[in-house]
């Protein structure tokens, strides 16, 4: 992983992060957020994965149904945010649309993605920190604007 701070003004930092072949995207981005002490940010990304797992959140079971993508795929779109979780650490929430070789797509929550050949991410930090809290009735952690 390589990164560069490309702008810093009024308590807001903007980074460009480039992941290398073989890196696992979700864990690498989480590590980056921890290392940079990012408590609130938005992110966008494009690139490609060798394979990935996306998820569809099932409210009834309060868990993600895993959708494996066992082929080279284009990251057509990835958008998400970073907020501080209940454990005090950065918590990522990323949605993605993956393009397959036949022109079809798969999409959902990004759970895993092995980069090939690259993933280029822009991370824009917010000057105020956001909190993500577990909502027991839903089984998922959501941003709590009142925290």
């Amino acid at each position: 992983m390589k990164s560069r701070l490309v702008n810093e003004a009024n308590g807001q930092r903007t980074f460009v992060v480039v992941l290398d072949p073989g890196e696992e995207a979700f864990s690498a981005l989480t590590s980056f957020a921890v290392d940079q002490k990012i408590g609130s940010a938005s992110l966008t990304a494009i690139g490609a994965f060798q394979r990935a797992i996306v998820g569809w959140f099932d409210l009834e079971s309060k868990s993600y149904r895993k959708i494996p993508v066992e082929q080279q795929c284009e990251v057509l779109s990835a958008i998400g945010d970073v907020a501080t979780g209940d454990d005090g650490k950065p918590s990522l929430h990323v949605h993605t649309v993956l393009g397959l070789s036949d022109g079809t797509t798969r999409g959902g929550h990004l759970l895993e993605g092995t980069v090939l050949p690259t993933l280029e991410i822009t991370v824009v930090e917010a000057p105020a920190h956001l909190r993500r809290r577990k909502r027991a009735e839903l089984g998922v952690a959501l941003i709590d604007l009142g925290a």
Side-chain angles (χ1 to χ4, degrees), residues 58-73:
D58 182 342
L59 280 171
E60 188 174 314
S61 69
K62 298 181 181 174
S63 64
Y64 286 100
R65 290 186 191 171
K66 292 182 177 181
I67 304 165
V69 180
E70 295 293 338
Q71 60 182 285
Q72 182 72 25
C73 53

Side-chain angles (χ1 to χ4, degrees), residues 93-112:
H93 182 190
V94 181
H95 288 194
T96 190
V97 177
L98 305 176
L100 307 182
S101 63
D102 64 0
T104 62
T105 59
R106 297 285 187 280
H109 292 264
L110 178 63
L111 301 176
E112 294 178 27

Side-chain angles (χ1 to χ4, degrees), residues 68-90:
V69 180
E70 295 293 338
Q71 60 182 285
Q72 182 72 25
C73 53
E74 294 286 332
V75 178
L76 303 176
S77 174
I79 58 173
D81 59 40
V82 179
T84 303
D86 287 335
D87 60 1
K89 297 178 183 174

